[in-house]
Amino acid sequence: MQEALDFLTITDREAVDRLTATLFSHHLLIVGQTGSGKTTTTLSLLGQLQQLNQTAIILDPTGEYTKLPNAITYRLGDNCYLEAGKLTVDQLLTTLQLQVDPGLQAKLWQAVTDLQIQHNIQDAPGIYRRLGRSLADYQADENQLGAWASDFPVRDLFAQLIEEFVVPFADDRADYTCLGQQYDRATINHYWPLLTAIHDQLASPTFRALFDIDHHAGTMKSELNFILKMFLHHRSSHRTLVVDLSLLKDYEESQRLIISLLLKEILRLRLHDNAGFPVNVIIDEAHRYLPKDERDLADNGIFQLVREGRKLDLKMILTTQSPLDLPARLRSQFSDLLVHRLLDQAEIASLPSAGLTLQDAGALPVGQAALCVFGEAPTLVKVNLPEWRKAGGHRD
Ligand SMILES: Nc1ncnc2c1ncn2[C@@H]1O[C@H](COP(=O)(O)OP(=O)(O)O)[C@@H](O)[C@H]1O
Ligand SMILES: [Mg+2]
């Protein structure tokens, strides 16, 4: 019979039954210093979850999980993309790692709206011309724009942004019934450094790939939110989904935001349609993707999923080097821990586990851990390498 804890070697046989009952029913935090075996343990655990027919979604910022067998893998920029219309202007700017003043932000918001009109209401290519257009015309178009019509061609955003600077003539030819008659060149010049920064970022290979700006007809790429929706709705024969976000590996702010948004989307989809099977959500080195400012924690997808996921059958598996890198409010949500080598008393003291000592945790060799289930004494375990790792040797 398939044992639920085959990925571990546990000498204390009596502990096995108790641990089996609880381990896969709570969020799990895997901690330990770099090189202590967290990623390997998570890969082994995922192999175990596959054998138990459990569903898992790995948001993988580094691409380390793409080697996992029997998984569906989507690689951002390769066979999947993010639809820019899913982002607010604020979020779009964060994704591009750009900061602009409120004046330009308003223009950007207007440009996105206008492209949405052009694309969804006018059903025409290119930008939405404001020059010479009557206010009444514009009003009518804007009124038609529903919340459903959010997508827009990002490739035209810069050109549209320039169009947002049209104003009436400044003399007695001024016609105040139209959006504009000339470009406000002084203001365009004022914003020129920021405008070109937006242009350059959108023209860079990374963001072209992220938003699928060079879309070629006939190529099959899926939208990230759509992938999650399909995966959560149809329990496919493949129960493991890896979303490789390494396209953005040099853009930590973007990764943080996109991970947060995807987790919120998972929560939203589950609230809407709880298909009735548990889903494990995995993020390695999670501390990197938490907000720098703890006041932003409540709005972060990792925190929300940990706090609200349980009742929706969503279980979070996080790894982190030091438990102190996680805000206490997040740490305290985890009752199950796999503790690899830790060398700091303060780190051990921060864990909600009874009886784990620095002596124990500091002496753990690579691949060994203390399994701490709430209210019980820690059990020493050895993590078995997954079969595919044993067979193929090391492929790091
Ligand atoms: N259970 C294990 N058995 C054998 N080797 C292991 C085990 N866990 C980790 N290792 C080895 O130790 C190294 C570091 O492991 P890794 O999982 O990358 O650590 P971390 O994610 O904590 O930095 C890797 O080369 C890996 O092959
Ligand atoms: Mg690792």
Side-chain angles (χ1 to χ4, degrees):
M1 199 194 93
Q2 180 61 53
E3 293 265 8
L5 291 174
D6 275 355
F7 78 109
L8 300 174
T9 301
I10 304 176
T11 35
D12 177 3
R13 293 305 300 174
E14 278 182 14
V16 175
D17 290 342
R18 279 177 288 131
L19 292 169
T20 308
T22 53
L23 185 60
F24 294 115
S25 53
H26 299 117
H27 298 316
L28 176 66
L29 180 63
I30 301 174
V31 297
Q33 59 175 206
T34 304
S36 61
K38 299 181 298 296
T39 301
T40 309
T41 296
T42 310
L43 285 164
S44 289
L45 174 60
L46 283 164
Q48 176 90 66
L49 290 173
Q50 287 177 339
Q51 294 197 326
L52 295 169
N53 267 326
Q54 285 221 23
T55 302
I57 299 176
I58 301 112
L59 300 186
D60 179 11
T62 59
E64 279 179 289
Y65 287 80
T66 54
K67 51 192 170 185
L68 188 72
N70 305 315
I72 321 178
T73 300
Y74 282 96
R75 187 178 141 72
L76 195 55
D78 197 359
N79 57 352
C80 74
Y81 67 97
L82 178 66
E83 191 181 300
K86 300 265 190 254
L87 304 174
T88 64
V89 163
D90 235 17
Q91 292 167 346
L92 179 64
L93 285 166
T94 304
T95 303
L96 298 173
Q97 297 199 170
L98 292 173
Q99 281 183 330
V100 307
D101 68 25
L104 189 55
Q105 188 154 346
K107 292 285 187 209
L108 203 50
W109 183 84
Q110 192 66 63
V112 168
T113 305
D114 288 355
L115 283 176
Q116 286 167 339
I117 292 174
Q118 180 74 359
H119 187 73
N120 300 288
I121 307 302
Q122 305 279 348
D123 201 13
I127 66 166
Y128 185 83
R129 288 282 166 208
R130 292 178 79 87
L131 203 66
R133 191 182 296 272
S134 80
L135 284 169
D137 254 17
Y138 182 69
Q139 193 65 58
D141 282 344
E142 205 181 23
N143 287 346
Q144 278 191 63
L145 192 66
W148 53 271
S150 66
D151 59 324
F152 68 91
V154 197
R155 79 177 71 79
D156 296 323
L157 190 55
F158 175 73
Q160 184 68 53
L161 202 44
I162 301 296
E163 191 69 15
E164 301 308 322
F165 289 90
V166 300
V167 289
F169 287 131
D171 52 35
D172 54 14
R173 292 167 302 154
D175 176 357
Y176 297 117
T177 68
C178 74
L179 290 172
Q181 297 165 285
Q182 65 176 352
Y183 292 90
D184 176 0
R185 297 187 198 281
T187 311
I188 293 175
N189 287 2
H190 166 76
Y191 280 126
W192 194 243
L194 281 172
L195 289 168
T196 51
I198 293 172
H199 173 273
D200 293 354
Q201 204 70 321
L202 287 171
S204 73
T206 300
F207 291 104
R208 297 186 82 86
L210 172 66
F211 295 123
D212 195 25
I213 287 179
D214 304 307
H215 180 77
H216 298 296
T219 53
M220 260 302 287
K221 289 189 192 181
S222 308
E223 207 280 326
L224 271 182
N225 291 274
F226 182 74
I227 293 167
L228 293 178
K229 183 174 172 183
M230 287 300 112
F231 191 79
L232 286 171
H233 186 67
H234 304 285
R235 193 181 187 189
S236 70
S237 53
H238 285 91
R239 302 274 156 81
T240 314
L241 173 69
V242 178
V243 183
D244 174 356
L245 304 171
S246 61
L247 171 73
L248 297 170
K249 61 182 185 314
D250 297 330
Y251 298 88
E252 211 167 283
E253 296 260 320
S254 311
Q255 283 194 329
R256 185 179 306 143
L257 175 71
I258 289 170
I259 287 173
S260 177
L261 292 176
L262 293 178
L263 293 172
K264 288 185 194 180
E265 182 64 7
I266 291 173
L267 266 177
R268 196 188 66 80
L269 288 165
R270 262 283 150 142
L271 266 171
H272 187 69
D273 166 25
N274 189 344
F277 54 92
V279 175
N280 300 276
V281 181
I282 291 91
I283 302 173
D284 204 336
E285 303 287 357
H287 60 281
R288 290 191 201 153
Y289 311 106
L290 287 164
K292 293 250 148 35
D293 187 337
E294 226 189 291
R295 281 170 300 182
D296 298 331
L297 193 61
D299 187 45
N300 179 270
I302 297 178
F303 184 67
Q304 289 184 3
L305 197 136
V306 166
R307 200 182 47 188
E308 292 159 34
R310 257 182 300 250
K311 52 185 180 283
L312 298 168
D313 257 346
L314 296 169
K315 284 173 291 162
M316 186 72 117
I317 300 171
L318 298 183
T319 90
T320 190
Q321 296 163 18
S322 163
L324 294 173
D325 287 342
L326 300 186
R329 274 196 292 158
L330 179 63
R331 205 165 55 222
S332 66
Q333 298 282 333
F334 290 86
S335 55
D336 290 2
L337 309 162
L338 253 173
V339 184
H340 283 281
R341 187 179 171 89
L342 280 183
L343 291 172
D344 186 309
Q345 180 55 45
E347 289 174 341
I348 291 161
S350 76
L351 295 170
S353 69
L356 185 66
T357 66
L358 179 59
Q359 209 175 5
D360 293 335
L364 289 165
V366 172
Q368 294 192 27
L371 180 54
C372 306
V373 169
F374 189 71
E376 295 200 20
T379 307
L380 291 181
V381 299
K382 185 176 168 312
V383 178
N384 305 322
L385 279 181
E387 287 300 326
W388 57 273
R389 276 285 291 267
K390 286 187 218 156
H394 282 221
R395 285 186 290 164
D396 293 330

